[in-house]
Amino acid sequence: ALLAYASAGGGSSAALGLVVASLGWWLTSGDRPIAVPKWLIACALILVVTKGAWSLGNRPSASIAPFLTFLASIMVVKCWERRGIRDMAQIFAIATFVLIGAALGSNAFATGLLIAAAFPFLVHGSLLLQLEVARARVEQLTGPLTTATAPPRGRPARLTTILIAIGVALATIVFV
């Protein structure tokens, strides 16, 4: 989503945001994640909101660029937080809105290609997120699941493929 935003006119700040988001994701994931203090995340969010309000107030005409910059900045900050299921859902929602904004902000071929490339990842990630929510709920009610009771891995991939095919067919019908 950040690449599509950069392609749609986000420029070098979007590319820098992608690097910072990737670094944050890497540092706060894995076997020994680094804990970023909540007060630091809160300060970063306050700065992002303030910058977004300031840039929106200084625009003489209506534009989607300040809102896109705001969403991309929020996504970068979210990548530095410890992530639970709710945080992952928020990142997916923000990524979806950034992709929609990139589509509205630019009709360049590269932007369209990046949006088309991101679509399967969003669909598959959303399906896996739903499975993770269901697994967490079942574990909350019954206790930890064993590998014998875990759902098979092939079903989400097949469902993702079917949903992507339906999405491509609908997009072809609508736009052609």
Side-chain angles (χ1 to χ4, degrees), residues 2-152:
L2 289 175
L3 282 176
Y5 166 63
S7 172
S12 60
S13 64
L16 178 64
L18 180 64
V19 171
V20 171
S22 300
L23 180 66
W25 191 276
W26 180 67
L27 288 174
T28 58
S29 299
D31 295 335
R32 289 195 274 166
I34 294 175
V36 178
K38 290 234 180 234
W39 64 267
L40 190 60
I41 297 292
C43 289
L45 285 173
I46 290 170
L47 287 173
V48 166
V49 170
T50 305
K51 182 186 179 298
W54 182 78
S55 64
L56 190 60
N58 287 337
R59 287 265 183 195
S61 64
S63 174
I64 196 167
F67 186 64
L68 255 173
T69 304
F70 172 72
L71 285 178
S73 302
I74 293 289
M75 185 187 296
V76 169
V77 171
K78 291 294 285 176
C79 287
W80 280 87
E81 283 186 322
R82 282 183 234 134
R83 287 172 300 282
I85 294 173
R86 183 174 296 175
D87 297 315
M88 294 298 292
Q90 290 171 353
I91 290 173
F92 275 116
I94 293 170
T96 302
F97 283 113
V98 168
L99 288 172
I100 291 169
L104 292 173
S106 173
N107 62 353
F109 178 74
T111 304
L113 190 64
L114 288 169
I115 292 169
F119 179 69
F121 292 107
L122 279 176
V123 170
H124 189 69
S126 297
L127 288 172
L128 290 178
L129 182 68
Q130 292 300 318
L131 289 175
E132 183 64 24
V133 168
R135 183 196 59 77
R137 240 191 223 144
V138 167
E139 282 185 349
Q140 191 177 36
L141 295 173
T142 63
L145 295 175
T146 62
T147 47
T149 59

Side-chain angles (χ1 to χ4, degrees), residues 99-100 103-104 106-107 112 115-116 119 166-176:
L99 288 172
I100 291 169
L104 292 173
S106 173
N107 62 353
I115 292 169
F119 179 69
I166 291 170
V168 168
L170 287 173
T172 305
I173 291 168
V174 169
F175 291 111
V176 174

